[in-house]
Amino acid sequence: MNRLSFKLLSIFLVFLFVVTSSTDADELAPSGAQEFFRSHCLDCHDATTKEGGLDLSALGKNLLDPQTMASWVRIHDRVDAGEMPPKAAEPVPATVRQAFVKATSDALDSAHRLKKGTVLRRLNGREYENTINDLFGTNLRLAAMLPPDGRSHEFDNVGNALSMSMVQLRQYLNVMDTVLDASIASTVTPPEPTFIKTGYAETSEGDRFIGDKWLKAKDGAVVFFQDFSYPTGMLRSAGTRSPGLYRIRVKGYAYQSNEPVTFSVGATTFVRGVERPTFGYFSMPPGKPTTIELTAWIENRYMLDIRPFGIYDEKYEIKSKGIENYTGPGLAIQSVEFEGPLINEFPSPGHKLLFTGLDRKELEPRNPNDKKKSWYKPKFEVGSSRPGEDAHAVLRRIAEHAFRRPVTADQVEPYVSLFLAETESGDSFEQALRTATTAIFCAPDFLYFNETSGELDDFALANRLSYFLSRSSPDEELRLCASQKELASPTVLQEQADRLLQGRHSERFIDDFTDAWLNLRDIDFTTPDRNLFPEYDAFLLDSMIKETRAYFAEQIKNNLPIETIVKSDFAMLNNRLADHYQIDGVHGPEIRKVKLPPGHVRGGFLSQASIHKVSANGTNTSPIVRGVWVLERIMGKHAPPPPPGISGVEPDIRGASTLREILAKHRNSESCRTCHEMIDPPGFALESFNPIGGWRDNFRSIGNGEKVNLIVHGRKTQYRVGLEVDASGEFSDGRKFVGFQEFRDHLAQDEYILTESFVKKLLVFATGRELGFSDRNEIAIIVETAIKEQHGIRDLIHDVIQSEIFRNK
């Protein structure tokens, strides 16, 4: 790999020289600004006073410097809004103010236009993983094998935050070894899947626990009456010997119950420190046995794990009366069928990408009988009388798929040279081809979106659209549109966007966008305190995430109005969420659309448990954290960080005082008041929801308060009733609200704020760059047109795709 590493380093150095060889001259701030500052601002903002920490005499002039640009933008906005100079100061003549705003705006716009077309954007981990898996037909968790990506605000696909190092480049080399090993066929015929039909009665656990923890019914089914920490639902006889896609059938019924019994199907392993996935939640109805079928990707050395949910022996009757006398509901499992790995395509797309057109044959062993032995592994050889020409044809095909555009003979020549050098050093055709293929997939043309400044060509536009809505490289139809130069047509671009939104990879867009926009990626960051929130469990967590993603999918599918971001007359629920939200009539673990009663507190993202969990820690809520979350994610506003020396505000978990009371003292500080006037209203409004999304009229306490006599998940509660929740507040414009619902109703009326914020989030995610000053006019046109024409969520996605910002770099 030394030759390959040297070759890749050379390619990277040439690439970086080309894209960074033009250096921009300093873009200076308007010269007339200094006179404006001397006349109207320096009394409060010179080197001595520095009111608010701002020293205008030391303000930089190079607008291509990000910090300097940010300072000038803030000054422009505050002067334009009439906030600076303050009302108490001598008024600035309107013509002088307008002249300053115009000159500053022109300079900021010009500077940002120079800079925004130079961002070099790399594939982030998810995009890289999707692209490789799609091209090679693998299902590898490649993002976990790479260094974590940086973030710019909420997003991890923004070019400025995506760095590259030799360590990361070497990791790409290692990853490609794994990918090629997994995709290149090591046999002539596809491996036969293994079929297992088993049950719990046949296991060693069955021998040990039937009659004690488990019951064997008259029909031979094994019945679980609750989810024990031990024994678990591990099924040793249904295990994997190789990673792959497996078909799972579970046959059973609800035992001693008139209602369906919910259960989970997952996988467990004896290997420490690895994930133990849950593939889904299902329900068994009472009566005749029912078969539940699913398919799941399972790694090597895993066993199925089936567990009941929501049934408990609260009075310990199994222990006192014996399991044969227990009359509570149970989950009866008659049999489990386990089949796999299932082969959808043989050989894999990756194998075909490398070897189509080549003569790859199995080498016969010296002893033909060796083929019948378990240890035998076939060896292959690629025969070629013209290795250079054959390699050129194959590597050009590979490069066109990898680089997402046509390539010329000259562009593929470095990889052919590497192939020939490897063969001359003694490597076989196949090994040399692997090395050259690895070089292609570690090259800048694959790892980066090498877009030129200005209007995107059809292939660049196809890439941008595909990575936006399917999170991977363009498929065959989109590549065909690009090759025929059809994507310049707004109609074709819209048709392709609709096709991708309805395609098999649309869930990737929904998952990745909500992970970033709403911060769902951090939902596992904290674990709720078991004493304070005993109702929290894995099924609730799973349902939380599915609710939010299903809700966003529903908004797109039915083109719902922008106000549904914060308010709607429906929710996406299953039985677990309905129980958590105290909504009757919802049965079964499948997420579905549920009509809400008029005026219900649920409906919209702000009422969803996932949002309340990611904006809280495991013990309590903070109006500051939640207020900042609503400001940034929903309203598109960013409060500045607290001034130096201002300590954070910590809640009193003993329940003696509320955060509202603590914050009242904190806000008395002049340096804190302005920001908290923005942050606190939405933060206080969400105080009606606890850290796991349950509605509350009182806080929960581990110290003071009245005892709560409830049984949750078979156990007595430990928390107490704390102080009363006060969710009232006041917007900065003077509008008041007495609780969450009034706050939500007010926010739902701010159509411009909601639309502008959502459009900006979409644009950042779609283009992979932060928006700046020169984008403002285009964004305003999108928003104003959308409001005028009453565009819904799906329309807004199309508005973004048709915009100049999306179609240009």
Side-chain angles (χ1 to χ4, degrees):
M1 281 295 183
N2 289 336
R3 184 185 290 108
L4 177 54
S5 297
F6 178 78
K7 172 66 73 174
L8 287 174
L9 181 59
S10 301
I11 293 172
F12 256 96
L13 290 175
V14 171
F15 177 76
L16 292 175
F17 174 76
V18 170
V19 298
T20 61
S21 58
S22 61
T23 56
D24 297 318
D26 289 354
E27 186 72 12
L28 298 181
S31 57
Q34 297 304 316
E35 178 60 34
F36 182 87
F37 291 157
R38 280 192 295 271
S39 301
H40 304 287
C41 307
L42 289 181
D43 286 349
C44 299
H45 298 291
D46 62 5
T48 303
T49 54
K50 290 193 287 190
E51 190 171 308
L54 178 61
D55 177 9
L56 292 177
S57 64
L59 185 63
K61 296 182 179 180
N62 180 11
L63 296 180
L64 297 182
D65 174 70
Q67 290 186 339
T68 303
M69 168 67 90
S71 297
W72 276 96
V73 169
R74 188 159 181 253
I75 290 167
H76 167 277
D77 290 348
R78 297 201 66 183
V79 173
D80 188 32
E83 298 174 2
M84 181 191 292
K87 294 180 181 179
E90 183 179 344
V92 180
T95 55
V96 174
R97 182 190 297 276
Q98 291 167 4
F100 172 82
V101 170
K102 175 67 166 58
T104 307
S105 176
D106 291 345
L108 293 172
D109 190 278
S110 176
H112 184 252
R113 288 184 187 279
L114 282 176
K115 201 69 178 173
K116 70 179 180 182
T118 65
V119 175
L120 186 60
R121 176 184 165 203
R122 171 174 63 77
L123 295 177
N124 72 5
R126 288 273 290 179
E127 292 164 337
Y128 176 89
E129 178 180 297
N130 293 338
T131 305
I132 293 290
N133 281 335
D134 290 348
L135 287 176
F136 285 87
T138 50
N139 192 19
L140 301 169
R141 301 185 65 179
L142 303 178
M145 301 170 65
L146 300 171
D149 294 314
R151 299 182 191 176
S152 180
H153 292 289
E154 298 101 70
F155 297 94
D156 63 359
N157 68 330
V158 174
N160 282 330
L162 297 173
S163 60
M164 174 63 78
S165 67
M166 282 306 298
V167 172
Q168 183 150 344
L169 184 56
R170 288 186 180 277
Q171 202 60 29
Y172 286 129
L173 296 174
N174 296 333
V175 166
M176 283 309 300
D177 273 343
T178 303
V179 171
L180 293 172
D181 287 343
S183 60
I184 294 176
S186 58
T187 60
V188 177
T189 57
E192 289 293 328
T194 300
F195 178 82
I196 299 169
K197 184 172 183 178
T198 184
Y200 285 93
E202 294 89 0
T203 64
S204 58
E205 284 82 6
D207 293 340
R208 183 173 178 183
F209 297 110
I210 288 176
D212 179 22
K213 305 283 188 177
W214 301 342
L215 175 70
K216 188 172 183 179
K218 293 179 180 179
D219 59 5
V222 172
V223 184
F224 303 140
F225 290 108
Q226 64 185 55
D227 180 11
F228 290 102
S229 57
Y230 184 78
T232 65
M234 179 181 67
L235 190 55
R236 291 175 187 262
S237 52
T240 61
R241 294 185 179 180
S242 62
L245 188 68
Y246 288 81
R247 181 179 294 112
I248 304 162
R249 296 188 183 94
V250 182
K251 185 178 181 181
Y253 53 93
Y255 182 82
Q256 294 181 168
S257 174
N258 294 323
E259 300 291 335
V261 173
T262 300
F263 66 100
S264 65
V265 178
T268 189
T269 179
F270 292 119
V271 179
R272 295 183 178 181
V274 297
E275 181 186 12
R276 289 167 172 77
T278 298
F279 306 130
Y281 289 84
F282 311 89
S283 62
M284 286 293 185
K288 294 181 179 180
T290 298
T291 299
I292 303 298
E293 181 175 318
L294 66 147
T295 56
W297 184 273
I298 310 178
E299 297 295 333
N300 189 26
R301 300 174 63 187
Y302 273 82
M303 298 159 285
L304 286 187
D305 188 6
I306 301 172
R307 303 189 182 204
F309 173 82
I311 52 175
Y312 308 96
D313 177 17
E314 297 177 355
K315 299 179 180 179
Y316 304 98
E317 293 181 357
I318 294 175
K319 185 175 182 179
S320 62
K321 298 180 180 179
I323 198 164
E324 66 279 359
N325 298 315
Y326 183 65
T327 58
L331 172 68
I333 304 295
Q334 283 191 327
S335 65
V336 175
E337 294 178 2
F338 190 62
E339 183 182 7
L342 306 175
I343 307 298
N344 293 326
E345 183 177 351
F346 184 88
S348 71
H351 182 100
K352 295 174 183 175
L353 184 64
L354 267 68
F355 296 112
T356 295
L358 297 177
D359 184 21
R360 184 179 189 256
K361 293 182 178 180
E362 181 184 0
L363 294 174
E364 291 295 323
R366 291 182 180 180
N367 183 356
N369 291 326
D370 287 349
K371 286 188 172 183
K372 301 177 182 179
K373 297 180 180 178
S374 59
W375 50 262
Y376 176 74
K377 291 184 178 180
K379 294 182 179 179
F380 295 86
E381 181 179 67
V382 176
S384 174
S385 60
R386 304 173 302 169
E389 293 180 26
D390 288 343
H392 188 283
V394 170
L395 291 172
R396 187 168 184 174
R397 177 178 68 233
I398 294 171
E400 288 188 343
H401 280 80
F403 299 165
R404 304 174 286 274
R405 56 174 170 77
V407 297
T408 65
D410 290 342
Q411 290 169 332
V412 80
E413 192 57 40
Y415 307 102
V416 177
S417 298
L418 177 61
F419 167 85
L420 293 173
E422 294 296 301
T423 58
E424 290 171 3
S425 68
D427 278 357
S428 67
F429 188 108
E430 182 168 327
Q431 185 56 49
L433 181 60
R434 283 178 60 121
T435 300
T437 300
T438 297
I440 288 173
F441 282 95
C442 294
D445 287 291
F446 169 69
L447 295 174
Y448 286 85
F449 297 92
N450 190 10
E451 304 162 337
T452 57
S453 296
E455 186 175 357
L456 300 179
D457 64 27
D458 280 73
F459 286 99
L461 194 55
N463 289 333
R464 184 167 283 191
L465 181 66
S466 184
Y467 279 94
F468 177 32
L469 298 180
S470 69
R471 312 296 296 130
S472 186
S473 58
D475 60 13
E476 185 176 350
E477 183 173 336
L478 199 51
R479 291 198 303 270
L480 181 61
C481 286
S483 66
Q484 296 177 348
K485 300 186 182 301
E486 295 177 344
L487 292 179
S489 164
T491 301
V492 174
L493 195 60
Q494 178 167 333
E495 289 172 352
Q496 289 299 312
D498 278 330
R499 182 178 67 84
L500 294 178
L501 283 171
Q502 296 165 8
R504 64 191 182 96
H505 292 320
S506 61
E507 286 185 2
R508 293 175 176 174
F509 162 63
I510 291 170
D511 292 356
D512 289 359
F513 184 67
T514 53
D515 275 359
W517 172 37
L518 303 174
N519 202 31
L520 293 191
R521 62 161 70 94
D522 287 343
I523 198 163
D524 264 333
F525 189 71
T526 61
T527 301
D529 186 295
R530 191 176 182 183
N531 290 327
L532 282 171
F533 305 102
E535 63 267 51
Y536 179 78
D537 53 53
F539 187 16
L540 179 58
L541 174 63
D542 181 80
S543 302
M544 287 178 182
I545 302 169
K546 288 179 178 176
E547 174 191 16
T548 299
R549 289 176 174 162
Y551 186 83
F552 185 49
E554 181 71 14
Q555 287 181 305
I556 296 172
K557 178 182 177 182
N558 289 310
N559 197 29
L560 299 181
I562 192 69
E563 72 169 25
T564 57
I565 286 179
V566 294
K567 180 181 179 181
S568 67
D569 61 358
F570 73 94
M572 306 300 291
L573 305 178
N574 62 4
N575 58 336
R576 183 67 189 91
L577 287 167
D579 178 67
H580 189 54
Y581 296 163
Q582 298 181 335
I583 296 174
D584 296 328
V586 181
H587 306 286
E590 304 82 17
I591 297 286
R592 85 296 304 260
K593 187 175 182 179
V594 176
K595 181 79 171 178
L596 296 171
H600 200 277
V601 297
R602 303 294 170 174
F605 288 116
L606 295 185
S607 70
Q608 294 173 7
S610 65
I611 304 308
H612 306 136
K613 187 175 187 305
V614 298
S615 61
N617 61 33
T619 303
N620 48 59
T621 59
S622 166
I624 299 174
V625 173
R626 282 184 167 172
V628 169
W629 189 97
V630 175
L631 278 179
E632 293 182 349
R633 313 278 171 161
I634 305 300
M635 301 174 70
K637 299 180 180 180
H638 292 268
I646 301 297
S647 59
V649 179
E650 296 294 333
D652 175 12
I653 64 171
R654 301 292 299 180
S657 58
T658 66
L659 245 176
R660 180 183 286 271
E661 295 168 336
I662 299 171
L663 275 172
K665 299 177 182 178
H666 182 74
R667 291 178 64 175
N668 286 335
S669 169
E670 184 66 34
S671 59
C672 300
R673 183 179 299 116
T674 302
C675 290
H676 280 280
E677 286 177 352
M678 297 169 56
I679 295 170
D680 292 353
F684 285 137
L686 265 63
E687 284 288 82
S688 289
F689 300 98
N690 66 31
I692 61 171
W695 181 266
R696 64 185 179 191
D697 296 312
N698 293 80
F699 296 98
R700 294 182 183 181
S701 168
I702 58 174
N704 301 327
E706 180 185 347
K707 286 185 177 182
V708 176
N709 294 316
L710 288 177
I711 302 294
V712 177
H713 290 350
R715 299 182 179 182
K716 292 182 178 180
T717 55
Q718 302 296 314
Y719 64 86
R720 296 169 179 262
V721 177
L723 297 174
E724 188 175 347
V725 171
D726 180 0
S728 63
E730 182 177 345
F731 287 96
S732 57
D733 62 6
R735 290 179 298 166
K736 296 182 179 181
F737 57 89
V738 297
F740 168 73
Q741 288 162 288
E742 281 196 8
F743 168 81
R744 178 191 65 184
D745 292 345
H746 283 313
L747 186 56
Q749 295 170 5
D750 286 333
E751 196 172 5
Y752 194 97
I753 287 177
L754 295 177
T755 305
E756 182 185 45
S757 177
F758 184 66
V759 165
K760 286 181 176 179
K761 304 302 181 186
L762 286 174
L763 281 168
V764 172
F765 187 71
T767 62
R769 71 168 175 85
E770 279 293 342
L771 303 175
F773 199 88
S774 68
D775 298 313
R776 290 184 171 189
N777 185 57
E778 175 74 5
I779 292 169
I781 292 172
I782 295 172
V783 173
E784 289 166 6
T785 302
I787 292 174
K788 180 180 178 181
E789 299 182 3
Q790 296 184 324
H791 284 183
I793 297 295
R794 190 186 189 93
D795 292 330
L796 290 173
I797 294 174
H798 284 302
D799 292 341
V800 162
I801 291 168
Q802 300 290 350
S803 70
E804 292 296 316
I805 295 173
F806 183 84
R807 299 168 68 103
N808 287 265
K809 180 179 178 182

